[in-house]
Amino acid sequence: MQAFEYKVVPAPAKGTKAKGVKTPEARFANSIEILLNEMAADGWEFQRAELLPSEERSGMMGSATNWRNVMVFRRPLAAKQAAQLPETGRKEPAAPSAVRHNETKTPRLTAAAGDPEAPPDAEQVPGPGASKMLADDGVEELSPVSGMTAALKARAGLKDGGDK
């Protein structure tokens, strides 16, 4: 299995002017195109764009969640940069001990069930949507009142569950 290294960069927030590019949409697309081409020239392959929460300080003691758009790129590791792990046969990038924090065992590799980009040896776990669907009984609750109330029975002309 081939090992990869990943790079995450902020997505462009503003459009870039260019000759013949007039509209804001075209300028924004031009900014993304420039970034993609720069990264590809360095050997990075675009994977996806993500919108992720970032908790940041706000004022003296508070914090606020800001949503950030980022772009994820990857490229294969060179053969001399990859280290072979004996127990799994997977390759992992060689990293300095300061970054690895002296880990003794490899963390388990998991992926959301049904993820088409998941490695074949990843353990399939239900994603947040699947977990919610498992807990959902399919019945939409419209009000906290269940059953027919006395007022509705009176209005319908029913008495004690019988006919009119």
Side-chain angles (χ1 to χ4, degrees):
M1 178 185 222
Q2 191 171 15
F4 296 95
E5 64 178 324
Y6 292 86
K7 186 169 192 168
V8 179
V9 297
K14 291 173 40 176
T16 304
K17 291 182 181 180
K19 187 174 183 177
V21 181
K22 303 286 185 198
T23 65
E25 294 86 6
R27 287 181 177 167
F28 182 69
N30 186 41
S31 294
I32 293 174
E33 182 179 331
I34 290 169
L35 177 62
L36 289 172
N37 286 330
E38 287 173 355
M39 296 299 290
D42 291 336
W44 294 100
E45 175 187 2
F46 176 71
Q47 291 297 295
R48 65 182 158 270
E50 295 283 344
L51 178 64
L52 299 171
S54 171
E55 191 153 326
E56 300 169 6
R57 289 185 60 181
S58 173
M60 289 290 279
M61 302 191 37
S63 65
T65 301
N66 291 318
W67 292 86
R68 304 285 180 200
N69 289 301
V70 295
M71 297 174 73
V72 181
F73 295 86
R74 78 173 184 183
R75 69 179 172 192
L77 284 175
K80 62 184 175 181
Q81 289 180 319
Q84 187 74 21
L85 295 177
E87 67 274 1
T88 61
R90 289 185 312 144
K91 291 186 178 185
E92 180 171 298
S97 60
V99 175
R100 301 280 303 165
H101 301 289
N102 297 325
E103 291 179 354
T104 56
K105 70 180 207 182
T106 306
R108 120 186 150 173
L109 183 63
T110 60
D115 184 1
E117 295 180 13
D121 58 340
E123 179 183 338
Q124 300 287 316
V125 295
S131 298
K132 184 177 179 186
M133 286 176 60
L134 288 173
D136 186 11
D137 62 359
V139 177
E140 184 176 347
E141 296 294 329
L142 298 177
S143 73
V145 178
S146 64
M148 191 178 255
T149 64
L152 287 174
K153 286 180 184 177
R155 191 171 228 190
L158 302 175
K159 296 181 184 177
D160 299 327
D163 292 334
K164 274 187 171 181

